[in-house]
Amino acid sequence: MDKLRIREVLNGAWKALRIKYFMNVLVVFIVGLIMGGYAMNTYVGKLTDSPQIELVQTQQILNNRSTGQSNAQSLEDLLDYLSSNGILPAKEEIKTAGQQYTKGVLSVFVNQISTSEDMFFGILNGVNMIVFKGSVSRSVVIFVTVVALVVFNLFVSNIITVGKNRYFLEHRRYADTKADKVLFVYKFNRTWNVALIMFLRSLFQALWNLTIVGGIIKTYEYSMIPYIVAENPDIKWRDAFYLSKKMTNGDKRRLFLLDLILVPGYLLSPFTLNLISVFLMSPYENCVRAETYMQLRSNKRTHIPRAAELLGDRMLAVVNVSDSIYPDSAFTLPIPEKRRWMRIDYERNYSFSTIVLLFFTYALVGYIWEVFYTLLNEGLLVNRGTMNGPWLPIYGVGGLIIIVVLKPLRRNPLLMFAGTTVACGVLEYFASWLLEYLFDAKWWDYQGYFLNINGRICLEGLLVFGLAGVAFTYVFSPLLDNLYSNIGMKARKIICTALLVVFFIDMVLSALQPNTGDGVTYGEGGMGADTVVIETTSDQH
């Protein structure tokens, strides 16, 4: 059998890297962000990398047995030790909500993530602040974080890793390969099988690492498994391990030399603010791994029993580079049919009477939401808004903008979400400015919320409007239209006329004497002076 030809691998990888270079960089960078390779410097990684941990854990257990101290207290002591040695963020650094932004849900998470410098810990501690008012001990939060990291690693990181490998396997011969190829495991509904194989690979590798030398050998023996699964996500785990072992037999030394060749580039990367890693080494390494797999596959596929059957994706092994994409019809697994959860005609045109009824429906829903929100947060049952009736016109106008003005965006939910977010942001900002200009009062104030603009709009509110707009566009508006169509045309005309007359009368009266007071307007005498801020202590256990 032919041996791995390192020079050929490096040259082939360099050619592959230059094909749609920026796409390669983008794929590796995005996958790195998802998996924590660039931004998420987690304490779990620090724990596993620290040579002191095992000794500290052992000492804590011995102290526990000798003093009769509880396991929970021992864990707290261990966490204190790790914090004092810089392995975990210090308690005083893990501050609670209210440090920078004082209001809203997003502010809690932003404060927690920025102070703990850890994504998972910050999110879970934010949930702790909001739901449990900071009463959950730090050890419980860390335990939940570890569990969440394990689940994330199993069903996201490992799956995305295999998808990234699939991207580079296809990209070396199909120049127009799309970045969404990293999601191909999900697309073919093979998540559980791939997750199992990758989990067993990690488990066996961890056990072999206890022998040190065996761990090094198994690192290279198992190195082809993520690529075998990328070619055939339906393969059994025993077959994947068997093929990887046979493919790397006799070439482990050359695989090690390949790693040594890549090391200098990574050593230089810190001196360039990691730019060499982002723009050269990481994408090039992925091209090298893909080229290595394909060469080992070519060299040994015919010599390994059942390899031709298990690794039967012939379109990956074509010789020439094509400007097209990999033909999915040639893949060994069928593409599952997409489920249609609801059959709703959301592209319909709405009649004038339906538009009027939808306006008042949205205005009523907004009114109920505002009253409930104020009652829940302020303990005040008040008539919200500028008018006297049970409606908030800004919600009605926003609804009409979504179903009438943004109709061209309905075919694309992402564009509809973005359009709704922007349109509602402009509407809310203008309405806030106009009301303050006309009546010298504020009916809402987002000061203290994360990413607010002059207290008139904030990111948290806009995201809610965007999601609500998508829901109204694709679900609620069509369903309500179906409901209203059951009302006779004559009855609908009477209802619409009555609502419009009462509404305009209310508008005139409210313009002369707008609705203000406690729980309605902000500022002196309004609820702005009594806005509840989540309060917690920063030294909780």
Side-chain angles (χ1 to χ4, degrees):
M1 288 185 290
D2 293 337
K3 298 297 183 180
L4 185 68
R5 299 177 296 279
I6 294 179
R7 184 183 297 274
E8 187 175 318
V9 167
L10 295 175
N11 289 338
W14 182 251
K15 293 178 182 177
L17 176 66
R18 294 168 61 188
I19 300 172
K20 297 292 182 70
Y21 165 74
F22 285 106
M23 178 62 74
N24 296 332
V25 172
L26 182 64
V27 167
V28 176
F29 183 76
I30 291 177
V31 171
L33 288 179
I34 294 174
M35 297 173 57
Y38 290 109
M40 289 198 274
N41 186 19
T42 64
Y43 60 84
V44 174
K46 295 180 184 178
L47 285 174
T48 56
D49 292 339
S50 175
Q52 313 171 53
I53 300 305
E54 187 175 350
L55 176 61
V56 175
Q57 290 172 328
T58 303
Q59 186 62 48
Q60 290 292 341
I61 293 172
L62 292 176
N63 290 343
N64 176 35
R65 291 178 177 175
S66 62
T67 62
Q69 192 178 43
S70 68
N71 289 327
Q73 185 58 48
S74 294
L75 178 57
E76 287 293 337
D77 293 341
L78 173 61
L79 296 175
D80 290 338
Y81 178 88
L82 298 178
S83 297
S84 64
N85 284 273
I87 299 171
L88 285 179
K91 281 187 194 177
E92 56 270 18
E93 294 176 0
I94 306 177
K95 300 176 182 178
T96 55
Q99 176 193 353
Q100 182 178 0
Y101 303 101
T102 58
K103 301 176 186 177
V105 175
L106 280 183
S107 64
V108 178
F109 290 107
V110 170
N111 289 333
Q112 290 299 321
I113 292 172
S114 62
T115 54
S116 67
E117 297 182 353
D118 176 79
M119 180 68 73
F120 280 99
F121 189 87
I123 291 174
L124 287 174
N125 214 32
V127 174
N128 179 23
M129 296 299 105
I130 295 171
V131 179
F132 302 107
K133 307 302 181 184
S135 62
V136 178
S137 68
R138 197 159 59 113
S139 59
V140 173
V141 174
I142 290 179
F143 172 76
V144 175
T145 303
V146 171
V147 173
L149 282 171
V150 170
V151 174
F152 181 85
N153 187 62
L154 283 174
F155 297 105
V156 179
S157 293
N158 285 342
I159 306 303
I160 294 296
T161 296
V162 173
K164 179 195 64 175
N165 294 345
R166 180 71 194 191
Y167 167 85
F168 281 99
L169 288 177
E170 292 187 12
H171 165 266
R172 60 185 292 277
R173 290 295 181 264
Y174 300 94
D176 203 28
T177 301
K178 306 301 182 184
D180 64 358
K181 188 61 66 173
V182 299
L183 303 175
F184 101 106
V185 176
Y186 300 118
K187 179 180 179 180
F188 286 92
N189 288 342
R190 295 300 188 274
T191 305
W192 287 99
N193 188 59
V194 172
L196 172 64
I197 294 173
M198 296 295 286
F199 167 73
L200 292 175
R201 173 179 179 259
S202 299
L203 176 63
F204 294 158
Q205 181 67 61
L207 295 175
W208 278 106
N209 285 345
L210 299 176
T211 67
I212 302 178
V213 175
I216 297 174
I217 295 173
K218 292 298 179 180
T219 296
Y220 293 102
E221 182 178 309
Y222 296 158
S223 61
M224 294 299 108
I225 291 176
Y227 292 89
I228 293 171
V229 178
E231 179 173 354
N232 181 8
D234 215 25
I235 195 171
K236 305 299 181 184
W237 73 268
R238 292 183 183 274
D239 292 332
F241 277 78
Y242 170 76
L243 288 176
S244 184
K245 178 179 180 180
K246 291 298 183 181
M247 291 174 68
T248 55
N249 274 351
D251 280 308
K252 293 183 180 67
R253 182 175 64 86
R254 292 174 179 81
L255 293 173
F256 176 69
L257 289 176
L258 265 178
D259 283 345
L260 289 181
I261 292 172
L262 297 174
V263 165
Y266 283 110
L267 292 178
L268 290 174
S269 188
F271 299 101
T272 63
L273 300 178
N274 213 33
L275 293 178
I276 288 180
S277 176
V278 173
F279 290 100
L280 176 61
M281 294 310 302
S282 291
Y284 182 58
E285 180 187 357
N286 279 277
C287 291
V288 168
R289 304 300 180 201
E291 200 68 31
T292 299
Y293 171 76
M294 291 307 297
Q295 191 178 123
L296 290 175
R297 178 186 185 275
S298 175
N299 292 345
K300 301 181 180 181
R301 180 170 173 268
T302 58
H303 302 282
I304 302 174
R306 297 186 63 218
E309 172 192 348
L310 296 171
L311 304 177
D313 195 340
R314 59 183 179 83
M315 298 304 294
L316 290 178
V318 296
V319 177
N320 298 320
V321 177
S322 169
D323 290 332
S324 60
I325 62 174
Y326 174 93
D328 282 343
S329 59
F331 194 61
T332 54
L333 297 176
I335 301 177
E337 292 185 6
K338 294 182 179 180
R339 297 179 180 178
R340 296 195 63 181
W341 297 102
M342 289 186 295
R343 301 177 184 274
I344 297 177
D345 177 21
Y346 52 80
E347 294 191 28
R348 68 184 70 186
N349 293 315
Y350 296 98
S351 65
F352 177 77
S353 61
T354 297
I355 289 176
V356 172
L357 292 175
L358 286 176
F359 169 84
F360 284 102
T361 302
Y362 296 145
L364 176 62
V365 170
Y367 175 84
I368 293 173
W369 159 249
E370 293 275 356
V371 170
F372 177 77
Y373 184 85
T374 304
L375 177 63
L376 186 65
N377 288 276
E378 308 297 332
L380 298 174
L381 182 60
V382 294
N383 179 28
R384 289 285 292 146
T386 60
M387 303 178 71
N388 299 294
W391 40 53
L392 290 178
I394 189 171
Y395 285 88
V397 173
L400 296 190
I401 290 175
I402 293 170
I403 64 174
V404 177
V405 180
L406 301 183
K407 182 184 176 182
L409 305 182
R410 289 183 194 173
R411 290 181 178 272
N412 191 319
L414 289 178
L415 287 180
M416 176 57 72
F417 172 80
T420 300
T421 301
V422 173
C424 290
V426 173
L427 173 64
E428 188 176 30
Y429 192 95
F430 175 75
S432 173
W433 173 84
L434 183 63
L435 289 172
E436 187 174 354
Y437 176 79
L438 293 176
F439 304 110
D440 194 26
K442 291 183 178 181
W443 276 264
W444 61 87
D445 188 355
Y446 294 119
Q447 294 290 347
Y449 283 77
F450 178 60
L451 292 184
N452 73 84
I453 301 179
N454 298 328
R456 302 188 189 280
I457 59 175
C458 70
L459 178 62
E460 185 172 319
L462 295 183
L463 291 178
V464 173
F465 289 142
L467 293 173
V470 170
F472 285 142
T473 299
Y474 298 106
V475 181
F476 297 114
S477 292
L479 292 179
L480 287 171
D481 185 32
N482 293 341
L483 177 64
Y484 297 149
S485 64
N486 294 325
I487 304 174
M489 180 56 68
K490 184 176 181 180
R492 265 192 286 172
K493 288 182 179 180
I494 294 175
I495 294 173
C496 291
T497 302
L499 287 172
L500 288 173
V501 169
V502 174
F503 178 80
F504 282 115
I505 293 173
D506 191 2
M507 181 179 292
V508 173
L509 295 176
S510 299
L512 298 174
Q513 184 62 48
N515 181 37
T516 60
D518 289 345
V520 180
T521 52
Y522 284 77
E524 187 174 351
M527 73 176 180
D530 305 315
T531 302
V532 173
V533 178
I534 299 174
E535 296 182 356
T536 55
T537 58
S538 59
D539 198 26
Q540 294 234 11
H541 291 276

